C-alpha cells in the first residue's frame, strides 16, 4: 500500500485538484515546479538554515519521565511548542515563502480562522519583506483580537470576510477570489495539509522535518529509529502528516490520529471528521468532510480553534479508510484535563489542540516498554484565557 501522494495527486481515493478553471494556471505552475525547487541545493540550504537559526530547530525530543511513570509507557514529547511563534505552523510558512520567492512572487495571501496560520504567515512575510494580505471572517476577527494585533504589528493587512457565516470558509472564498484576480505576482499560502494538489504533499514535505528529527533523536536516546507509536492531533492534519511521514511505510510503527469530539461524537457539536464525515469536496480536494444529506458543510465545533475544521487532509482520509492509522476522538473536557495534567506533571502548558493528543493515555493502554512519541504541536499561551475560564483559575 502506498500512503504518499501518487503522480495524479491522489492518496488512494482522496485528494486531486477540484478548482475553478480560472485557478488552474496558478495551481499548475506550483505543481510543475514544487518538487524541482525543493530538490535544489540552494533551496534546501536556505530552508534548513532558517529552520535552524530562525525557528530554533531541531526541536527537542523530550522523554517525559513523570508522564511515563503515570501511564506506564515510555512517552516522548516532540517539542514543536518551542519553535518561534509557538507551534509547528512556521515550518510550513518558511517553506512556502521560499517557494514563492523562487517562483518570482512578490505578494502573499492567506486565510486564517483562529489566527495562528495568519500569524505564522505574517511572520515570514516580515522576514522576507513581502506584502501580506490575510483574509479572516469578521466574527473570527472579533474572537481572536490578540492574533489580529500580532498580524498588524508584523505588517500584514487583515481583510475581514463579510459574507456567509463570516468565519473560516468565507475567508477561504475571499482568498481564492483574490488569487484568481492576481495570478501572476501572488502566492497563496495554505496552512495545513489540505487544499488542491500539490498543497497537501508540499505542506507534508515541509512538515516532514518533524519525523526526520524524531528518527535520529530516538536513535540517540533509545538506540533505535522507530518508535512503537506516533501520536498527533488532527485539524487539517499538518503536524500529524509531518510526524507520521517517515514512518508511514514502517509497518512496526503504529500511527494514532486524534480528532476533536467536541461535546461528544453524537452531540451535534463535534469535529470528529473520520467518524462523522462522508466523501465530498472541500478546499479544492476530495476528502472526508462533515456534511448534511444534501451536501452542505456542517459547522464543526471544538473548544480548540485549531481543530475546529469540517474536513481532514486527504492523506488522513486515506490512512483512515485503509486502517493504517488508528483514529481516536477526544472531547473538550478530556482534552482540558489532559492539558492541566501535563502542566502539573511536566511543567509544560500545551496548546488545547495538543491536549487532545495527550488525552489518549486515559483510553489506550500501552506496554511498559512501548516507545510512544507524541507531537507537542504548540504551546498554551494563546489558550490561557480558555484554560482560565474553564478551570476558574
Ligand atoms: C493549527 C494547529 C493545529 C492543527 O493544525 P494541523 O494542520 O492539523 O496540524 C494543531 N496544534 C496547534 C498548536 C495548532 O496551532
Amino acid at each position: 500500500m502506498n500512503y504518499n501522494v501518487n503522480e495524479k495527486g491522489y492518496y488512494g481515493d482522496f485528494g486531486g485538484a477540484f478548482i475553478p478553471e480560472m485557478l488552474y494556471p496558478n495551481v499548475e505552475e506550483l505543481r510543475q515546479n514544487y518538487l524541482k525547487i525543493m530538490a535544489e541545493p540552494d533551496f534546501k540550504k536556505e530552508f534548513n538554515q532558517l529552520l535552524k537559526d530562525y525557528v530554533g530547530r531541531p526541536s527537542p525530543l523530550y522523554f517525559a519521565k513523570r508522564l511515563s511513570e503515570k501511564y506506564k509507557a515510555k512517552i516522548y514529547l516532540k517539542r514543536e511548542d518551542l519553535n518561534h511563534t509557538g507551534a509547528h505552523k512556521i515550518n510550513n510558512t518558511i517553506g512556502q515563502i521560499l517557494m514563492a520567492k523562487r517562483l518570482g512572487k512578490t505578494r502573499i495571501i492567506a486565510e486564517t480562522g483562529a489566527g495562528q496560520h495568519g500569524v505564522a504567515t505574517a511572520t515570514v512575510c516580515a522576514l522576507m519583506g513581502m506584502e501580506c494580505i490575510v483574509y479572516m471572517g469578521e466574527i473570527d476577527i472579533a474572537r481572536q483580537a490578540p492574533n489580529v494585533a500580532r498580524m498588524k504589528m508584523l505588517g500584514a493587512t487583515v481583510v475581514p470576510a463579510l459574507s456567509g457565516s463570516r468565519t473560516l470558509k468565507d475567508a477561504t472564498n475571499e482568498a481564492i477570489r483574490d488569487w484568481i484576480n492576481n495570478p501572476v505576482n501572488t502566492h497563496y499560502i495554505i496552512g495545513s495539509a489540505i487544499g488542491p494538489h500539490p498543497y497537501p504533499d508540499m505542506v507534508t514535505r515541509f512538515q516532514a522535518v518533524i519525523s526526520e528529527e524524531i528518527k535520529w533523536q530516538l536513535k540517540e536516546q533509545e538506540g533505535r529509529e522507530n518508535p512503537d507509536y506516533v501520536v498527533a492531533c488532527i485539524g487539517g492534519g499538518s503536524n500529524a502528516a509531518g510526524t507520521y511521514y517517515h514512518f508511514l511505510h514502517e509497518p512496526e510503527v503504529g500511527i494514532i490520529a486524534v480528532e476533536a469530539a467536541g461535546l461528544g461524537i453524537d452531540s451535534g457539536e463535534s469535529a470528529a471528521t473520520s467518524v462523522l464525515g462522508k466523501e465530498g469536496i472541500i478546499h479544492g480536494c476530495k476528502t472526508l468532510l462533515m456534511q448534511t444529506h444534501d451536501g452542505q458543510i456542517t459547522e464543526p465545533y471544538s473548544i480548540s480553534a485549531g481543530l475546529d475544521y469540517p474536513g481532514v487532509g486527504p492523506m488522513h482520509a486515506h490512512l483512515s479508510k485503509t486502517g493504517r492509522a488508528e483514529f481516536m476522538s477526544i472531547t473538550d473536557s478530556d482534552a482540558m484535563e489532559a492539558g492541566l495534567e501535563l502542566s502539573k506533571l511536566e511543567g509544560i502548558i500545551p496548546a488545547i489542540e495538543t491536549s487532545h493528543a495527550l488525552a489518549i493515555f486515559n483510553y489506550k493502554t500501552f506496554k511498559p516498554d512501548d516507545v510512544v512519541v507524541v507531537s507537542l504541536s504548540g504551546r498554551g499561551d494563546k489558550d490561557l484565557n480558555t484554560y482560565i475560564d474553564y478551570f476558574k483559575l
Side-chain angles (χ1 to χ4, degrees):
M1 184 72 73
N2 176 27
Y3 301 106
N4 288 324
V5 81
N6 67 21
E7 58 292 341
K8 296 208 165 76
Y10 278 82
Y11 299 84
D13 298 334
F14 303 105
F18 296 82
I19 50 173
E21 192 77 33
M22 289 165 82
L23 266 190
Y24 184 78
N26 308 43
V27 175
E28 184 59 14
E29 179 187 36
L30 193 60
R31 190 188 68 80
Q32 284 186 3
N33 290 293
Y34 83 109
L35 289 175
K36 217 164 39 193
I37 290 174
M38 284 181 77
E40 284 169 5
D42 257 16
F43 181 93
K44 287 193 199 167
K45 189 168 165 227
E46 199 176 354
F47 182 54
N48 290 331
Q49 193 80 43
L50 283 170
L51 288 183
K52 175 168 172 282
D53 298 331
Y54 189 72
V55 175
R57 304 202 71 92
S59 67
L61 182 68
Y62 166 67
F63 176 64
K65 184 158 172 289
R66 297 188 67 210
L67 194 68
S68 297
E69 278 165 5
K70 167 140 194 205
Y71 289 107
K72 302 190 171 45
K74 293 168 111 172
I75 304 173
Y76 283 84
L77 305 176
K78 181 58 174 160
R79 299 290 308 275
E80 296 302 299
D81 60 317
L82 296 178
N83 293 340
H84 178 48
T85 69
H88 64 287
K89 287 191 173 72
I90 191 87
N91 303 326
N92 169 48
T93 55
I94 292 265
Q96 286 201 46
I97 198 95
L98 295 179
M99 181 68 60
K101 252 179 46 176
R102 297 297 192 284
L103 292 170
K105 310 292 176 182
T106 54
R107 183 174 174 273
I108 298 294
I109 56 171
E111 94 275 352
T112 196
Q116 294 300 112
H117 173 56
V119 170
T121 302
T123 300
V124 296
C125 288
L127 176 70
M128 293 295 166
M130 285 218 214
E131 186 185 354
C132 180
I133 316 285
V134 180
Y135 291 94
M136 194 167 180
E138 194 181 30
I139 302 266
D140 289 333
I141 288 181
R143 284 194 291 215
Q144 310 289 344
N147 276 338
V148 175
R150 282 186 188 104
M151 286 181 250
K152 288 182 176 166
M153 267 193 88
L154 293 161
T157 305
V158 180
V159 179
L162 305 171
S163 62
S165 57
R166 292 173 290 152
T167 57
L168 181 62
K169 73 174 167 24
D170 313 291
T172 304
N173 291 339
E174 295 293 331
I176 287 173
R177 199 164 304 148
D178 181 313
W179 209 23
I180 289 173
N181 291 329
N182 299 284
V184 178
N185 68 346
T186 298
H187 175 71
Y188 178 17
I189 299 191
I190 293 182
S192 190
I194 53 175
H197 178 66
Y199 277 98
D201 186 49
M202 181 173 66
V203 173
T204 297
R205 286 167 185 267
F206 288 141
Q207 294 290 2
V209 65
I210 300 173
S211 46
E212 193 186 309
E213 289 174 3
I214 291 171
K215 277 192 169 264
W216 64 258
Q217 290 172 319
L218 208 57
K219 178 87 182 167
E220 276 182 10
Q221 298 188 56
E222 286 286 332
R224 56 173 159 123
E225 289 191 338
N226 287 349
D228 297 293
Y229 295 91
V230 282
V231 183
C233 66
I234 300 210
S238 70
N239 89 90
T243 302
Y244 306 160
Y245 188 75
H246 290 284
F247 304 115
L248 288 170
H249 298 98
E250 306 280 354
E252 75 267 28
V253 181
I255 294 177
I256 300 176
V258 188
E259 294 182 316
L263 301 183
I265 295 278
D266 302 319
S267 68
E269 300 288 332
S270 175
T273 310
S274 73
V275 186
L276 299 169
K278 303 233 161 31
E279 270 185 45
I281 292 180
I282 183 172
H283 219 138
C285 72
K286 191 203 270 186
T287 188
L288 294 174
L289 68 129
M290 291 165 41
Q291 51 189 315
T292 59
H293 284 298
D294 51 355
Q296 297 296 316
I297 291 170
T298 313
E299 277 294 321
Y301 164 79
S302 163
I303 194 167
S304 75
L307 302 186
D308 193 355
Y309 183 68
V312 65
M315 175 202 272
H316 302 296
H318 182 51
L319 293 177
S320 169
K321 187 162 179 179
T322 56
R324 174 65 182 95
E326 175 182 356
F327 277 69
M328 299 180 71
S329 32
I330 292 295
T331 61
D332 287 0
S333 57
D334 283 339
M336 295 303 280
E337 294 296 339
L340 186 62
E341 179 177 79
L342 188 76
S343 307
K344 298 219 152 123
L345 279 180
E346 297 288 349
I348 299 170
I349 301 176
I352 298 174
E353 290 85 358
T354 314
S355 298
H356 286 74
L358 295 162
I360 66 153
F361 292 103
N362 291 306
Y363 291 98
K364 187 174 169 71
T365 310
F366 295 93
K367 295 202 282 298
D369 57 355
D370 275 348
V371 170
V372 183
V373 176
V374 182
S375 167
L376 209 81
S377 57
R379 69 176 83 127
D381 305 31
K382 70 183 175 64
D383 295 321
L384 217 54
N385 278 329
T386 312
Y387 280 124
I388 288 170
D389 290 346
Y390 190 87
F391 292 112
K392 315 247 179 310
L393 300 172

